[in-house]
Amino acid sequence: MRDRVVRALAGGVVLLGASGLLGGCGALGGGNSAQVCTDTRKAFQQYITQVRSVSAAEPGQWRQATEQLAGRLDGLAGKAGDGKLEKALKAEADRLRAAAAAVGTGDASQLDAVMRDTPARIGKACD
């Protein structure tokens, strides 16, 4: 489980950068949205670093880390100066919470899907 999810997570963060999460941020008209996009990418990078050290045999720690990431995205959504970005971050936080419940029981399939789709959803909001 761990290796598959960590690969998906790492690939997702690379795609977050490539999809415009950082590069397109300046195009947003909503005040601090560029900083929110940058902080979102950092949150995902920190999450990857955190879960790389967690054993697949400890799904409770995966759940906790995933729930923490969801909370960070909610906080960033509240700081977003752009409605589209705020909505995307809140939706992603909800997806992560649902995935956290499943990964807490050892099922990483939902988390894998969330991480695979995140770059397109968040990157689009940051364009």
PDB file of all heavy atoms in Angstrom, residues 5-19 21 41 44-45 48 112 114-120 122-123:
ATOM      1  N   VAL A   5       0.867   4.391  -2.852  1.00  0.00           N
ATOM      2  CA  VAL A   5       0.289   5.687  -2.506  1.00  0.00           C
ATOM      3  C   VAL A   5       1.356   6.777  -2.510  1.00  0.00           C
ATOM      4  O   VAL A   5       1.127   7.870  -3.015  1.00  0.00           O
ATOM      5  CB  VAL A   5      -0.446   5.627  -1.155  1.00  0.00           C
ATOM      6  CG1 VAL A   5      -0.910   7.000  -0.733  1.00  0.00           C
ATOM      7  CG2 VAL A   5      -1.641   4.681  -1.254  1.00  0.00           C
ATOM      8  N   VAL A   6       2.536   6.491  -1.983  1.00  0.00           N
ATOM      9  CA  VAL A   6       3.600   7.501  -1.973  1.00  0.00           C
ATOM     10  C   VAL A   6       3.973   7.878  -3.397  1.00  0.00           C
ATOM     11  O   VAL A   6       4.183   9.053  -3.699  1.00  0.00           O
ATOM     12  CB  VAL A   6       4.825   7.020  -1.157  1.00  0.00           C
ATOM     13  CG1 VAL A   6       6.023   7.917  -1.380  1.00  0.00           C
ATOM     14  CG2 VAL A   6       4.479   6.966   0.324  1.00  0.00           C
ATOM     15  N   ARG A   7       4.029   6.909  -4.304  1.00  0.00           N
ATOM     16  CA  ARG A   7       4.318   7.231  -5.715  1.00  0.00           C
ATOM     17  C   ARG A   7       3.225   8.124  -6.294  1.00  0.00           C
ATOM     18  O   ARG A   7       3.502   9.090  -6.997  1.00  0.00           O
ATOM     19  CB  ARG A   7       4.449   5.952  -6.542  1.00  0.00           C
ATOM     20  CG  ARG A   7       5.804   5.292  -6.441  1.00  0.00           C
ATOM     21  CD  ARG A   7       6.003   4.245  -7.512  1.00  0.00           C
ATOM     22  NE  ARG A   7       4.980   3.211  -7.525  1.00  0.00           N
ATOM     23  CZ  ARG A   7       5.012   2.107  -6.784  1.00  0.00           C
ATOM     24  NH1 ARG A   7       6.004   1.890  -5.960  1.00  0.00           N
ATOM     25  NH2 ARG A   7       4.042   1.227  -6.865  1.00  0.00           N
ATOM     26  N   ALA A   8       1.971   7.814  -5.986  1.00  0.00           N
ATOM     27  CA  ALA A   8       0.868   8.647  -6.485  1.00  0.00           C
ATOM     28  C   ALA A   8       0.942  10.045  -5.891  1.00  0.00           C
ATOM     29  O   ALA A   8       0.721  11.041  -6.584  1.00  0.00           O
ATOM     30  CB  ALA A   8      -0.478   7.997  -6.142  1.00  0.00           C
ATOM     31  N   LEU A   9       1.269  10.118  -4.617  1.00  0.00           N
ATOM     32  CA  LEU A   9       1.377  11.416  -3.965  1.00  0.00           C
ATOM     33  C   LEU A   9       2.503  12.239  -4.569  1.00  0.00           C
ATOM     34  O   LEU A   9       2.329  13.416  -4.888  1.00  0.00           O
ATOM     35  CB  LEU A   9       1.646  11.240  -2.468  1.00  0.00           C
ATOM     36  CG  LEU A   9       0.537  10.613  -1.638  1.00  0.00           C
ATOM     37  CD1 LEU A   9       1.047  10.312  -0.239  1.00  0.00           C
ATOM     38  CD2 LEU A   9      -0.672  11.492  -1.590  1.00  0.00           C
ATOM     39  N   ALA A  10       3.648  11.626  -4.732  1.00  0.00           N
ATOM     40  CA  ALA A  10       4.798  12.340  -5.288  1.00  0.00           C
ATOM     41  C   ALA A  10       4.505  12.797  -6.708  1.00  0.00           C
ATOM     42  O   ALA A  10       4.795  13.933  -7.082  1.00  0.00           O
ATOM     43  CB  ALA A  10       6.041  11.456  -5.244  1.00  0.00           C
ATOM     44  N   GLY A  11       3.918  11.933  -7.495  1.00  0.00           N
ATOM     45  CA  GLY A  11       3.557  12.315  -8.853  1.00  0.00           C
ATOM     46  C   GLY A  11       2.543  13.437  -8.871  1.00  0.00           C
ATOM     47  O   GLY A  11       2.604  14.350  -9.689  1.00  0.00           O
ATOM     48  N   GLY A  12       1.614  13.404  -7.927  1.00  0.00           N
ATOM     49  CA  GLY A  12       0.616  14.461  -7.836  1.00  0.00           C
ATOM     50  C   GLY A  12       1.217  15.809  -7.526  1.00  0.00           C
ATOM     51  O   GLY A  12       0.848  16.819  -8.113  1.00  0.00           O
ATOM     52  N   VAL A  13       2.185  15.843  -6.628  1.00  0.00           N
ATOM     53  CA  VAL A  13       2.808  17.125  -6.288  1.00  0.00           C
ATOM     54  C   VAL A  13       3.633  17.647  -7.459  1.00  0.00           C
ATOM     55  O   VAL A  13       3.622  18.831  -7.743  1.00  0.00           O
ATOM     56  CB  VAL A  13       3.654  17.005  -4.996  1.00  0.00           C
ATOM     57  CG1 VAL A  13       4.526  18.229  -4.799  1.00  0.00           C
ATOM     58  CG2 VAL A  13       2.732  16.846  -3.807  1.00  0.00           C
ATOM     59  N   VAL A  14       4.316  16.757  -8.158  1.00  0.00           N
ATOM     60  CA  VAL A  14       5.055  17.190  -9.349  1.00  0.00           C
ATOM     61  C   VAL A  14       4.077  17.788 -10.349  1.00  0.00           C
ATOM     62  O   VAL A  14       4.319  18.852 -10.917  1.00  0.00           O
ATOM     63  CB  VAL A  14       5.823  16.006  -9.978  1.00  0.00           C
ATOM     64  CG1 VAL A  14       6.348  16.368 -11.354  1.00  0.00           C
ATOM     65  CG2 VAL A  14       6.975  15.589  -9.078  1.00  0.00           C
ATOM     66  N   LEU A  15       2.950  17.136 -10.531  1.00  0.00           N
ATOM     67  CA  LEU A  15       1.950  17.648 -11.467  1.00  0.00           C
ATOM     68  C   LEU A  15       1.317  18.934 -10.970  1.00  0.00           C
ATOM     69  O   LEU A  15       0.930  19.780 -11.773  1.00  0.00           O
ATOM     70  CB  LEU A  15       0.874  16.596 -11.726  1.00  0.00           C
ATOM     71  CG  LEU A  15       1.331  15.402 -12.556  1.00  0.00           C
ATOM     72  CD1 LEU A  15       0.232  14.356 -12.632  1.00  0.00           C
ATOM     73  CD2 LEU A  15       1.772  15.826 -13.940  1.00  0.00           C
ATOM     74  N   LEU A  16       1.202  19.102  -9.663  1.00  0.00           N
ATOM     75  CA  LEU A  16       0.660  20.359  -9.136  1.00  0.00           C
ATOM     76  C   LEU A  16       1.517  21.525  -9.609  1.00  0.00           C
ATOM     77  O   LEU A  16       1.009  22.550 -10.017  1.00  0.00           O
ATOM     78  CB  LEU A  16       0.622  20.339  -7.607  1.00  0.00           C
ATOM     79  CG  LEU A  16      -0.508  19.560  -6.955  1.00  0.00           C
ATOM     80  CD1 LEU A  16      -0.288  19.461  -5.458  1.00  0.00           C
ATOM     81  CD2 LEU A  16      -1.847  20.153  -7.266  1.00  0.00           C
ATOM     82  N   GLY A  17       2.806  21.356  -9.559  1.00  0.00           N
ATOM     83  CA  GLY A  17       3.707  22.405 -10.037  1.00  0.00           C
ATOM     84  C   GLY A  17       3.622  22.562 -11.534  1.00  0.00           C
ATOM     85  O   GLY A  17       3.561  23.670 -12.063  1.00  0.00           O
ATOM     86  N   ALA A  18       3.587  21.457 -12.256  1.00  0.00           N
ATOM     87  CA  ALA A  18       3.579  21.503 -13.714  1.00  0.00           C
ATOM     88  C   ALA A  18       2.244  21.973 -14.279  1.00  0.00           C
ATOM     89  O   ALA A  18       2.188  22.541 -15.362  1.00  0.00           O
ATOM     90  CB  ALA A  18       3.902  20.110 -14.271  1.00  0.00           C
ATOM     91  N   SER A  19       1.173  21.760 -13.535  1.00  0.00           N
ATOM     92  CA  SER A  19      -0.151  22.093 -14.059  1.00  0.00           C
ATOM     93  C   SER A  19      -0.506  23.553 -13.895  1.00  0.00           C
ATOM     94  O   SER A  19      -1.601  23.970 -14.240  1.00  0.00           O
ATOM     95  CB  SER A  19      -1.212  21.240 -13.359  1.00  0.00           C
ATOM     96  OG  SER A  19      -1.325  21.645 -12.015  1.00  0.00           O
ATOM     97  N   LEU A  21      -0.121  25.226 -10.822  1.00  0.00           N
ATOM     98  CA  LEU A  21      -0.439  25.606  -9.459  1.00  0.00           C
ATOM     99  C   LEU A  21       0.472  26.732  -9.000  1.00  0.00           C
ATOM    100  O   LEU A  21       0.044  27.627  -8.319  1.00  0.00           O
ATOM    101  CB  LEU A  21      -0.309  24.404  -8.524  1.00  0.00           C
ATOM    102  CG  LEU A  21      -0.778  24.651  -7.093  1.00  0.00           C
ATOM    103  CD1 LEU A  21      -2.242  25.053  -7.065  1.00  0.00           C
ATOM    104  CD2 LEU A  21      -0.562  23.441  -6.244  1.00  0.00           C
ATOM    105  N   ARG A  41       0.590  23.945  -2.503  1.00  0.00           N
ATOM    106  CA  ARG A  41       1.635  23.041  -3.009  1.00  0.00           C
ATOM    107  C   ARG A  41       2.560  22.630  -1.869  1.00  0.00           C
ATOM    108  O   ARG A  41       2.906  21.457  -1.732  1.00  0.00           O
ATOM    109  CB  ARG A  41       2.435  23.708  -4.117  1.00  0.00           C
ATOM    110  CG  ARG A  41       3.490  22.786  -4.696  1.00  0.00           C
ATOM    111  CD  ARG A  41       4.140  23.405  -5.927  1.00  0.00           C
ATOM    112  NE  ARG A  41       5.042  22.479  -6.534  1.00  0.00           N
ATOM    113  CZ  ARG A  41       6.369  22.554  -6.441  1.00  0.00           C
ATOM    114  NH1 ARG A  41       6.926  23.528  -5.759  1.00  0.00           N
ATOM    115  NH2 ARG A  41       7.130  21.662  -7.030  1.00  0.00           N
ATOM    116  N   PHE A  44       0.976  19.946   0.328  1.00  0.00           N
ATOM    117  CA  PHE A  44       1.051  18.608  -0.257  1.00  0.00           C
ATOM    118  C   PHE A  44       2.472  18.055  -0.161  1.00  0.00           C
ATOM    119  O   PHE A  44       2.664  16.869   0.127  1.00  0.00           O
ATOM    120  CB  PHE A  44       0.560  18.614  -1.702  1.00  0.00           C
ATOM    121  CG  PHE A  44      -0.925  18.490  -1.807  1.00  0.00           C
ATOM    122  CD1 PHE A  44      -1.721  19.618  -1.902  1.00  0.00           C
ATOM    123  CD2 PHE A  44      -1.545  17.250  -1.799  1.00  0.00           C
ATOM    124  CE1 PHE A  44      -3.104  19.510  -1.990  1.00  0.00           C
ATOM    125  CE2 PHE A  44      -2.922  17.129  -1.888  1.00  0.00           C
ATOM    126  CZ  PHE A  44      -3.705  18.272  -1.983  1.00  0.00           C
ATOM    127  N   GLN A  45       3.471  18.878  -0.372  1.00  0.00           N
ATOM    128  CA  GLN A  45       4.859  18.419  -0.243  1.00  0.00           C
ATOM    129  C   GLN A  45       5.151  17.960   1.179  1.00  0.00           C
ATOM    130  O   GLN A  45       5.791  16.927   1.388  1.00  0.00           O
ATOM    131  CB  GLN A  45       5.826  19.534  -0.641  1.00  0.00           C
ATOM    132  CG  GLN A  45       5.836  19.794  -2.127  1.00  0.00           C
ATOM    133  CD  GLN A  45       6.651  21.032  -2.498  1.00  0.00           C
ATOM    134  OE1 GLN A  45       6.681  22.006  -1.752  1.00  0.00           O
ATOM    135  NE2 GLN A  45       7.295  20.979  -3.656  1.00  0.00           N
ATOM    136  N   ILE A  48       3.546  14.576   1.813  1.00  0.00           N
ATOM    137  CA  ILE A  48       4.319  13.479   1.230  1.00  0.00           C
ATOM    138  C   ILE A  48       5.506  13.133   2.113  1.00  0.00           C
ATOM    139  O   ILE A  48       5.773  11.969   2.393  1.00  0.00           O
ATOM    140  CB  ILE A  48       4.791  13.834  -0.193  1.00  0.00           C
ATOM    141  CG1 ILE A  48       3.598  13.840  -1.131  1.00  0.00           C
ATOM    142  CG2 ILE A  48       5.841  12.849  -0.682  1.00  0.00           C
ATOM    143  CD1 ILE A  48       3.901  14.398  -2.485  1.00  0.00           C
ATOM    144  N   ASP A 112      -5.434   7.054  -3.275  1.00  0.00           N
ATOM    145  CA  ASP A 112      -4.697   6.995  -4.529  1.00  0.00           C
ATOM    146  C   ASP A 112      -5.442   7.776  -5.614  1.00  0.00           C
ATOM    147  O   ASP A 112      -4.849   8.575  -6.341  1.00  0.00           O
ATOM    148  CB  ASP A 112      -4.510   5.525  -4.930  1.00  0.00           C
ATOM    149  CG  ASP A 112      -3.632   5.339  -6.134  1.00  0.00           C
ATOM    150  OD1 ASP A 112      -2.603   6.029  -6.262  1.00  0.00           O
ATOM    151  OD2 ASP A 112      -3.976   4.470  -6.964  1.00  0.00           O
ATOM    152  N   VAL A 114      -7.719  10.189  -5.199  1.00  0.00           N
ATOM    153  CA  VAL A 114      -7.737  11.614  -4.857  1.00  0.00           C
ATOM    154  C   VAL A 114      -6.421  12.256  -5.289  1.00  0.00           C
ATOM    155  O   VAL A 114      -6.404  13.308  -5.933  1.00  0.00           O
ATOM    156  CB  VAL A 114      -7.992  11.833  -3.348  1.00  0.00           C
ATOM    157  CG1 VAL A 114      -7.749  13.278  -2.958  1.00  0.00           C
ATOM    158  CG2 VAL A 114      -9.411  11.428  -2.982  1.00  0.00           C
ATOM    159  N   MET A 115      -5.311  11.630  -4.948  1.00  0.00           N
ATOM    160  CA  MET A 115      -4.006  12.204  -5.263  1.00  0.00           C
ATOM    161  C   MET A 115      -3.740  12.240  -6.768  1.00  0.00           C
ATOM    162  O   MET A 115      -3.089  13.148  -7.264  1.00  0.00           O
ATOM    163  CB  MET A 115      -2.893  11.430  -4.561  1.00  0.00           C
ATOM    164  CG  MET A 115      -2.875  11.671  -3.087  1.00  0.00           C
ATOM    165  SD  MET A 115      -2.584  13.417  -2.745  1.00  0.00           S
ATOM    166  CE  MET A 115      -3.517  13.620  -1.281  1.00  0.00           C
ATOM    167  N   ARG A 116      -4.269  11.280  -7.467  1.00  0.00           N
ATOM    168  CA  ARG A 116      -4.090  11.241  -8.916  1.00  0.00           C
ATOM    169  C   ARG A 116      -4.861  12.389  -9.583  1.00  0.00           C
ATOM    170  O   ARG A 116      -4.400  12.973 -10.567  1.00  0.00           O
ATOM    171  CB  ARG A 116      -4.556   9.888  -9.449  1.00  0.00           C
ATOM    172  CG  ARG A 116      -4.298   9.653 -10.907  1.00  0.00           C
ATOM    173  CD  ARG A 116      -4.731   8.259 -11.360  1.00  0.00           C
ATOM    174  NE  ARG A 116      -6.096   7.938 -10.973  1.00  0.00           N
ATOM    175  CZ  ARG A 116      -6.432   7.006 -10.076  1.00  0.00           C
ATOM    176  NH1 ARG A 116      -5.518   6.313  -9.453  1.00  0.00           N
ATOM    177  NH2 ARG A 116      -7.698   6.776  -9.788  1.00  0.00           N
ATOM    178  N   ASP A 117      -6.023  12.745  -9.036  1.00  0.00           N
ATOM    179  CA  ASP A 117      -6.876  13.757  -9.648  1.00  0.00           C
ATOM    180  C   ASP A 117      -6.647  15.171  -9.107  1.00  0.00           C
ATOM    181  O   ASP A 117      -7.095  16.145  -9.708  1.00  0.00           O
ATOM    182  CB  ASP A 117      -8.350  13.382  -9.442  1.00  0.00           C
ATOM    183  CG  ASP A 117      -8.709  12.067 -10.118  1.00  0.00           C
ATOM    184  OD1 ASP A 117      -8.000  11.661 -11.062  1.00  0.00           O
ATOM    185  OD2 ASP A 117      -9.693  11.443  -9.693  1.00  0.00           O
ATOM    186  N   THR A 118      -5.960  15.291  -7.991  1.00  0.00           N
ATOM    187  CA  THR A 118      -5.741  16.591  -7.356  1.00  0.00           C
ATOM    188  C   THR A 118      -5.083  17.616  -8.277  1.00  0.00           C
ATOM    189  O   THR A 118      -5.523  18.763  -8.319  1.00  0.00           O
ATOM    190  CB  THR A 118      -4.931  16.427  -6.055  1.00  0.00           C
ATOM    191  OG1 THR A 118      -5.743  15.735  -5.125  1.00  0.00           O
ATOM    192  CG2 THR A 118      -4.538  17.765  -5.464  1.00  0.00           C
ATOM    193  N   PRO A 119      -4.021  17.269  -8.986  1.00  0.00           N
ATOM    194  CA  PRO A 119      -3.345  18.301  -9.798  1.00  0.00           C
ATOM    195  C   PRO A 119      -4.278  18.985 -10.783  1.00  0.00           C
ATOM    196  O   PRO A 119      -4.242  20.215 -10.924  1.00  0.00           O
ATOM    197  CB  PRO A 119      -2.252  17.519 -10.529  1.00  0.00           C
ATOM    198  CG  PRO A 119      -1.971  16.367  -9.631  1.00  0.00           C
ATOM    199  CD  PRO A 119      -3.303  15.992  -9.030  1.00  0.00           C
ATOM    200  N   ALA A 120      -5.149  18.240 -11.422  1.00  0.00           N
ATOM    201  CA  ALA A 120      -6.068  18.842 -12.388  1.00  0.00           C
ATOM    202  C   ALA A 120      -7.073  19.755 -11.697  1.00  0.00           C
ATOM    203  O   ALA A 120      -7.338  20.857 -12.152  1.00  0.00           O
ATOM    204  CB  ALA A 120      -6.787  17.754 -13.181  1.00  0.00           C
ATOM    205  N   ILE A 122      -6.976  21.242  -8.549  1.00  0.00           N
ATOM    206  CA  ILE A 122      -6.395  22.420  -7.899  1.00  0.00           C
ATOM    207  C   ILE A 122      -5.672  23.283  -8.924  1.00  0.00           C
ATOM    208  O   ILE A 122      -5.773  24.516  -8.892  1.00  0.00           O
ATOM    209  CB  ILE A 122      -5.425  22.006  -6.767  1.00  0.00           C
ATOM    210  CG1 ILE A 122      -6.154  21.183  -5.713  1.00  0.00           C
ATOM    211  CG2 ILE A 122      -4.771  23.229  -6.153  1.00  0.00           C
ATOM    212  CD1 ILE A 122      -7.158  21.924  -4.888  1.00  0.00           C
ATOM    213  N   GLY A 123      -4.957  22.641  -9.823  1.00  0.00           N
ATOM    214  CA  GLY A 123      -4.233  23.406 -10.852  1.00  0.00           C
ATOM    215  C   GLY A 123      -5.159  24.258 -11.700  1.00  0.00           C
ATOM    216  O   GLY A 123      -4.855  25.401 -12.010  1.00  0.00           O
TER     217      GLY A 123
END
